[in-house]
């Protein structure tokens, strides 16, 4: 087999910068949205209605599917997006599908009208500071009568982080706590998607170069984040609580390599990086702290890296053949 260049494990700091860059790109690539009217039928009866902001995003879409899978009737859903036209299948099922943009406060009162609970999905970069844009959404929701708002925050907040990503999330949490609505903070750890790519790269190269103090991170799947969010939206008892939404273990490149080998049978040499390499730790204890909240909220264990790689076995086997 021709070996690819051995990947050096990407420090978390660089990975976070990649997230930020991707968010900026996504914003720039947007088309001007059309204002869709409520295109679903209104529900009968007094059942609470649940708003999902950013319903066309990756996490938002999983939350909608999770709510439906848990038996929430589509008529109880109010799905808000800058691109509501992409949510037409849910409108056909009976959901209210509406236009709303946190940076356009005038779009929000009609978007949130009639909602009782809301999942506020954190956004990437916009023309407004993120807490200001997200604050617009919180204020509009409260004025529209929403009584409970769950917010997808950041796990670093639970460990006293105040810089970078944590600053925006902490500021938004403060706005939410002071809003008058009941709140739930869903403090997500790092999404696990990158782990599959890391494993594929290690398999293709047959080795990985690991800094001595590589971060160990409680990667969590978006599916688990979505299941936790759905759980707090559909049952009482989660008001004014903060949850750390993490995977079941803190893993670093050594554990990822071991799981990738176990799943595919591929040999991966783990090579210690020279002391002078890019090996500054960044994640610290915040991203290595395991929480049991996913299992407590959803009734099933959080997805392990091994299970995640099992689910992507075909893709990883293809990497082994490259
Ligand atoms: N934990 C992690 O590792 C990690 C990594 C990356 C991002 N995040 C955060 O988690 C969020 C959800 O992740 P994702 O994977 O679902 O991201 P995504 O697929 O890029 O979705 C971005 C989300 O932000 C919403 N949004 C963006 N600008 C908005 C605006 N001006 N007004 C209202 N909504 C706006 C989008 O809603 P519509 O497009 O439907 O309007 C969509 O729900 C991200 O936005 C980001 O804050 C976390």
């Amino acid at each position: 087999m021709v070996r690819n260049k051995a990947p050096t494990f990407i420090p978390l700091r660089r990975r976070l910068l990649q997230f930020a860059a991707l968010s900026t790109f996504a914003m720039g690539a947007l088309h001007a949205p059309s204002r869709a009217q409520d295109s679903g039928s209104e529900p009968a009866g007094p059942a609470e209605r649940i708003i999902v902001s950013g319903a066309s995003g990756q996490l938002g879409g999983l939350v909608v599917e999770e709510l439906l899978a848990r038996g929430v009737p589509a008529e109880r859903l109010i799905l808000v997006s800058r691109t509501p036209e992409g949510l037409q299948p849910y409108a056909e099922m009976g959901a209210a599908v509406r236009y709303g943009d946190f940076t356009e406060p005038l779009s929000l009162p009609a978007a949130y009208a009639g909602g009782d609970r809301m999942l506020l999905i954190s956004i990437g970069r916009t023309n407004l500071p993120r807490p200001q844009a997200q604050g617009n959404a919180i204020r509009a929701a409260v004025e529209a009568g929403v009584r409970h708002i769950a917010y997808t925050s950041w796990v670093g907040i639970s460990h006293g982080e105040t810089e970078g990503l944590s600053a925006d999330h902490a500021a938004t949490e403060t706005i939410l706590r002071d809003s008058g609505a009941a709140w739930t903070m869903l403090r997500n750890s790092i999404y696990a998607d990158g782990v599959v790519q890391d494993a594929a790269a290690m398999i293709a190269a047959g080795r990985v170069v690991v800094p001595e103090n590589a971060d160990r991170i409680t990667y969590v799947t978006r599916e688990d984040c979505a299941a936790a969010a759905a759980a707090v939206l559909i049952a009482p008892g989660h008001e004014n609580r903060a949850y750390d939404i993490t995977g079941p273990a803190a893993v670093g490149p050594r554990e990822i390599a071991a799981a990738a080998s176990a799943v595919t049978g591929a040999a991966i040499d783990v090579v210690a990086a020279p002391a002078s390499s890019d090996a500054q730790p960044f994640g610290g204890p915040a991203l290595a702290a395991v929480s049991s909240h996913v299992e407590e909220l959803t009734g099933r264990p959080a997805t392990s890296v091994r299970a995640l790689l099992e689910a992507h076995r075909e893709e990883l086997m293809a990497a082994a053949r490259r």
Side-chain angles (χ1 to χ4, degrees):
M1 188 199 319
V2 178
R3 289 295 191 201
N4 297 2
K5 187 173 179 296
T8 298
F9 210 71
I10 303 175
L12 182 60
R13 180 178 49 244
R14 204 182 305 155
R15 204 163 264 188
L16 292 173
L17 289 172
Q18 287 172 350
F19 286 151
L22 279 173
S23 299
T24 309
F25 172 78
M27 288 303 302
L30 285 175
H31 300 292
S34 63
R35 266 67 169 167
Q37 298 296 315
D38 236 15
S39 37
S41 59
E42 297 298 315
E48 285 188 332
R49 297 183 76 190
I50 299 171
I51 300 168
V52 179
S53 85
S56 70
Q58 297 173 83
L59 180 61
L62 291 169
V63 171
V64 174
E65 288 298 322
E66 188 74 31
L67 289 168
L68 293 170
R70 285 169 175 254
V72 177
E75 290 80 4
R76 283 183 52 203
L77 300 181
I78 298 173
L79 308 182
V80 181
S81 172
R82 295 160 304 160
T83 52
E85 54 276 12
L87 298 168
Q88 194 54 31
Y90 296 120
E92 286 161 14
M93 293 168 67
V97 170
R98 302 172 181 168
Y99 176 84
D101 184 329
F102 297 175
T103 67
E104 296 176 18
L106 293 179
S107 72
L108 300 176
Y112 300 154
D116 298 290
R117 293 180 191 255
M118 170 169 166
L119 176 65
L120 175 64
I121 293 182
S122 59
I123 65 175
R125 286 185 187 161
T126 67
N127 57 327
L128 295 181
R130 193 155 59 158
Q132 185 181 337
Q134 295 177 161
N136 288 341
I138 292 167
R139 273 185 295 278
V142 173
E143 280 167 22
V146 174
R147 295 189 302 275
H148 176 203
I149 300 173
Y151 170 63
T152 61
S153 187
W154 172 244
V155 74
I157 306 279
S158 294
H159 301 271
E161 283 185 7
T162 55
E163 303 292 323
L165 266 182
S166 294
D168 281 359
H169 286 293
T172 304
E173 287 198 4
T174 299
I175 294 169
L176 178 52
R177 283 177 203 271
D178 293 344
S179 71
W183 49 265
T184 305
M185 309 307 178
L186 294 158
R187 293 176 176 158
N188 295 339
S189 184
I190 293 271
Y191 293 152
D193 314 39
V195 171
V196 179
Q197 293 149 25
D198 290 339
M202 292 176 189
I203 291 166
R207 65 198 289 266
V208 60
V209 180
V210 181
E212 187 186 342
N213 51 355
D215 292 299
R216 295 177 77 243
I217 295 168
T218 55
Y219 295 106
V220 63
T221 64
R222 274 196 191 78
E223 286 78 3
D224 287 344
C225 295
V232 306
L233 290 168
I234 64 179
H238 304 295
E239 292 81 359
N240 304 334
R241 289 173 181 238
Y243 296 108
D244 290 342
I245 307 302
T246 76
V251 300
R254 291 174 193 280
E255 290 81 9
I256 295 171
S261 289
V263 167
T264 63
I268 301 172
D269 290 337
V270 178
V271 181
S276 62
S277 68
D278 185 5
Q280 294 299 313
F282 182 83
L287 287 178
V290 175
S291 161
S292 56
H293 289 157
V294 167
E295 182 162 4
E296 289 165 24
L297 289 170
T298 67
R300 62 175 198 244
T303 308
S304 66
V305 160
R306 172 74 184 262
L308 176 71
L309 297 187
E310 292 278 6
H312 289 267
R313 188 167 180 278
E314 288 309 312
E315 187 181 330
L316 297 176
M317 293 303 287
R321 292 191 289 274
R322 282 206 289 270

